[in-house]
Amino acid sequence: MLSRKILYIVLFLVSFSSVHGQLNNIWVIGYNSSGIPNPINSIYSIDFRNGTIDYDTALAAAFSFRGCDASICDSAGNLLFYTNGLAVMNAQNDTMVNGDSLNYSDEAYSSGGSLTGMSYPQTILILPSPGQPDMYYLIHQAYYLHPVLWTNEYCDTLFYSIVDMSQDSGKGAVVTKNQVLWSGDLLTNNLITIGGLSACKHANGRDWWLITHKDSSNVFMKFLLTPTGIAGPFLQTIYPFVNFSMVQACFSPDGTKFAFNNKSGVHLFNFDRCTGIFSAHENLGQFTLPTYGATGTVFSPNSRVLYASGGFE
């Protein structure tokens, strides 16, 4: 079987580092997330601070990943904290103060507890709060077992939590947790895609555009993170109409392009960082080999080349 997890880690995290710069110099990965055979309940880091790839295999016990992971560093590239979608760990590899029970959902906790992590990639991201150097927003999804289609999950809520790194002697604490940012409804199929959470700096160089998508629709849902909080959602209807679940998405480093990759194909858009408007949709086509889903999407550093991968068995 293709090592799809390695492809995902390389493609997605390179894309994220183009947005964050030094803030993403350390990647934290682990069991069932890296594609590397390793014992259950051990995690790894990849460190780029020295301009080379330094691989650390001894970080912590009793914590692992299933597909969802996010980490962030300070402006010098030193690790601040990381998460598997269900708990937040500080740089000392201990559960952060109030960092447990993040993103509670029946699906996630019934299949192994908080230490196993959420199943789907790009269901959580970390953004620095504009104008507040010690504050960080976690934007995250919980997903639930479908009451009829027992093989499927669904997501009807988008949450945010806030980490204050000035707390607990600089190790940080979750000071706001599991606050509802957007809520839909399963009965009316007013849902959002599982995964594909993406962010791009506003053209003012301070604020952040946050992008998600309504499931089984052609509607993007956008939020704007500013020094006063999160505004939105702002909705935009633009083709294609797709079931967005299991999507991989990213912005180009210059913020002018946006792409997502799923079974319906690789889709490319123009993006206006001032207005948050998508335009000029183009379907670049599907993979020639049958795939069960997207495993990575990333632009080159000069924003001129788009790379995408798909997993197969």
Side-chain angles (χ1 to χ4, degrees):
M1 182 175 70
L2 180 68
S3 183
R4 58 187 184 275
K5 295 296 184 181
I6 292 179
L7 283 173
Y8 159 68
I9 288 294
V10 170
L11 292 181
F12 169 62
L13 289 179
V14 168
S15 171
F16 202 54
S17 66
S18 70
V19 176
H20 280 315
Q22 297 293 324
L23 302 186
N24 201 40
N25 264 12
I26 297 178
W27 304 349
V28 181
I29 59 178
Y31 178 76
N32 205 21
S33 177
S34 64
I36 303 169
N38 59 289
I40 295 177
N41 294 334
S42 65
I43 60 175
Y44 300 86
S45 71
I46 303 175
D47 190 334
F48 295 92
R49 285 176 294 179
N50 297 322
T52 58
I53 299 176
D54 297 323
Y55 186 61
D56 187 349
T57 62
L59 282 185
F63 194 82
S64 59
F65 298 88
R66 294 180 63 205
C68 170
D69 57 350
S71 58
I72 196 162
C73 302
D74 62 20
S75 58
N78 301 307
L79 181 66
L80 292 176
F81 63 92
Y82 57 94
T83 176
N84 62 4
L86 298 180
V88 182
M89 304 290 281
N90 60 31
Q92 287 70 43
N93 304 306
D94 293 325
T95 303
M96 185 175 282
V97 172
N98 198 32
D100 61 333
S101 302
L102 184 73
N103 219 17
Y104 188 89
S105 75
D106 293 338
E107 190 279 338
Y109 281 82
S110 66
S111 58
S114 63
L115 298 181
T116 63
M118 299 285 271
S119 299
Y120 295 112
Q122 285 190 290
T123 52
I124 189 168
L125 56 81
I126 305 168
L127 296 175
S129 177
Q132 297 176 294
D134 290 324
M135 308 295 283
Y136 295 85
Y137 277 78
L138 283 71
I139 313 298
H140 48 98
Q141 300 174 332
Y143 41 89
Y144 308 90
L145 292 173
H146 197 286
V148 177
L149 304 174
W150 293 104
T151 58
N152 291 355
E153 291 85 31
Y154 70 95
C155 178
D156 63 0
T157 311
L158 186 65
F159 298 94
Y160 74 91
S161 299
I162 301 176
V163 168
D164 183 351
M165 288 305 302
S166 70
Q167 301 289 315
D168 194 25
S169 303
K171 293 183 289 187
V174 178
V175 294
T176 301
K177 185 165 63 176
N178 296 337
Q179 297 299 297
V180 174
L181 182 58
W182 179 89
S183 180
D185 180 64
L186 174 63
L187 295 179
T188 60
N189 200 34
N190 187 23
L191 306 172
I192 55 176
T193 174
I194 298 176
L197 289 177
S198 307
C200 179
K201 264 289 180 71
H202 190 282
N204 63 20
R206 181 197 65 189
D207 302 335
W208 291 92
W209 289 109
L210 166 68
I211 306 299
T212 185
H213 196 278
K214 284 200 167 187
D215 192 48
S216 301
S217 77
N218 56 355
V219 178
F220 278 99
M221 187 158 51
K222 296 169 280 189
F223 299 85
L224 186 63
L225 175 60
T226 73
T228 60
I230 305 177
F234 310 104
L235 304 182
Q236 181 185 354
T237 301
I238 185 171
Y239 288 101
F241 184 99
V242 295
N243 183 326
F244 233 65
S245 293
M246 293 302 292
V247 66
Q248 300 290 307
C250 69
F251 283 94
S252 61
D254 64 8
T256 64
K257 301 289 185 182
F258 175 81
F260 74 79
N261 172 12
N262 74 347
K263 287 184 178 182
S264 68
V266 180
H267 299 268
L268 181 66
F269 301 82
N270 290 340
F271 185 71
D272 188 323
R273 292 172 59 211
C274 291
T275 64
I277 298 298
F278 293 103
S279 62
H281 165 252
E282 184 178 0
N283 188 344
L284 303 181
Q286 296 175 297
F287 293 102
T288 55
L289 291 175
T291 64
Y292 57 80
T295 56
T297 309
V298 70
F299 286 88
S300 62
N302 63 8
S303 302
R304 296 180 59 185
V305 181
L306 173 64
Y307 301 91
S309 66
F312 62 91
E313 295 180 329

